[in-house]
Amino acid sequence: MTLNGIDVSSYQSTTYSTAGLSFVMVKATEGTSYVNPRHADQIAHGRAASLVVGHYHFVRPGSMSAQASYFLQHAAAKAGDILALDWEDTGVPGTDKDTFIKDLQAAAPHNRVLLYCNRDFWLNRDHSSFAGDGLWIADPDAPAGRPRIQHAWVFHQYSEAGGIDHDVADFASKAALQTWTAKGTPKPAYEPFPGTAWFTIGRRSPIVAAMHDRLVAVGCDHYQSSANKDVIGSGDVASYEAWQRKYNTEHHKGWTGDALKWPPGKETWDALHVPNV
């Protein structure tokens, strides 16, 4: 299940519709010289509708620490609000993106800090896979909740309609989102890596079936059929190795040989996002 939300800036009304929404993300600042003049009212409108609110900063080339401070000063976030870095400027390298997020996490320990970027930035400009507390991925050409990446994500901006950007959050309920933003429990409930020794041919488990479904979903389907998909077999081996090759290429890992072979490793398993069963 996912939750519906939107993101807004000065281009949108301060009285945007909140019907059917669980959260809103509002632009606060850009660089060190711009503040969204509607930010405070847009945040207040979201709070009045009991939405989870987030604030985001459009980063520009320059001092990351100065921009993080400027953002926090003008966002005036409360504990439990979300803070996000909007990374769209090609003049800001990935190392600066990482610095901004780390500075923000240190300065705002009671808030979740996210990275927002599109697929091009994530797949081709990012080389650390660092997204703070979670990734907010923009992929408007993908169905809601199915962004075309393999890394775990928290929010997906999937369309623009009626002058509003629409998003979904990967939580089972609004209460779960609120618990996460309050930093009460880690998110999400995905299957932890069971260890390389667990992946033996013939093992039967609902985790295997969930892995099967995720491998198909990410385009690494080398199965002959879905019969007995809860049992590890040759199709799982071929499909998972295809996934490791894909992950290796998209994240510029430079792995070769046995690093691309069965059994699964923790990094690719965590990135596969196998739901907890």
Side-chain angles (χ1 to χ4, degrees):
M1 178 180 174
T2 55
L3 306 176
N4 293 315
I6 58 173
D7 59 275
V8 299
S9 67
S10 62
Y11 296 105
Q12 282 76 44
S13 169
T14 57
T15 57
Y16 50 87
S17 173
T18 59
L21 303 183
S22 296
F23 64 92
V24 62
M25 309 291 275
V26 180
K27 181 174 182 177
T29 50
E30 182 173 327
T32 55
S33 61
Y34 173 82
V35 177
N36 171 13
R38 294 182 171 180
H39 169 263
D41 289 338
Q42 288 170 330
I43 287 291
H45 185 65
R47 292 197 200 282
S50 299
L51 304 186
V52 173
V53 301
H55 317 254
Y56 70 87
H57 173 80
F58 193 106
V59 69
R60 292 296 191 184
S63 168
M64 294 298 104
S65 60
Q67 290 190 63
S69 296
Y70 186 80
F71 175 38
L72 287 175
Q73 175 189 351
H74 293 285
K78 297 180 179 180
D81 288 359
I82 299 168
L83 300 173
L85 167 63
D86 183 348
W87 185 36
E88 299 183 57
D89 191 317
T90 57
V92 179
T95 52
D96 279 2
K97 172 266 293 183
D98 291 352
T99 296
F100 184 99
I101 293 173
K102 291 174 182 177
D103 284 353
L104 201 57
Q105 287 180 312
H110 301 297
N111 301 92
R112 294 287 186 182
V113 178
L114 306 180
L115 168 66
Y116 168 92
C117 65
N118 61 33
R119 286 181 73 246
D120 173 64
F121 272 67
W122 183 249
L123 299 177
N124 301 315
R125 299 179 185 274
D126 175 80
H127 297 289
S128 68
S129 297
F130 181 64
D133 292 309
L135 177 63
W136 176 14
I137 188 70
D139 186 5
D141 295 324
R146 296 180 61 186
R148 295 167 297 165
I149 60 170
Q150 279 72 55
H151 192 86
W153 56 274
V154 181
F155 293 87
H156 173 205
Q157 184 189 80
Y158 66 91
S159 79
E160 188 278 332
I164 298 283
D165 288 322
H166 294 263
D167 306 82
V168 290
D170 191 22
F171 291 86
S173 66
K174 183 178 175 182
L177 173 59
Q178 291 170 320
T179 297
W180 181 75
T181 58
K183 307 185 84 167
T185 57
K187 190 271 167 195
Y190 299 122
E191 285 294 340
F193 181 59
T196 56
W198 188 88
F199 295 93
T200 57
I201 299 298
R203 178 182 293 278
R204 183 183 296 274
S205 168
I207 297 174
V208 178
M211 177 185 73
H212 174 119
D213 291 340
R214 284 297 298 146
L215 290 169
V216 171
V218 299
C220 297
D221 182 3
H222 287 256
Y223 294 100
Q224 298 301 310
S225 76
S226 294
N228 298 315
K229 70 177 184 178
D230 60 341
V231 179
I232 295 178
S234 59
D236 296 296
V237 174
S239 298
Y240 203 97
E241 289 184 347
W243 159 239
Q244 293 192 131
R245 293 192 298 271
K246 185 174 184 177
Y247 182 89
N248 178 52
T249 298
E250 293 184 346
H251 290 79
H252 314 285
K253 292 297 180 178
W255 295 337
T256 60
D258 289 343
L260 299 173
K261 299 294 185 181
W262 182 272
K266 185 177 187 303
E267 181 174 346
T268 56
W269 176 265
D270 289 346
L272 186 58
H273 212 181
V274 177
N276 189 290
V277 293

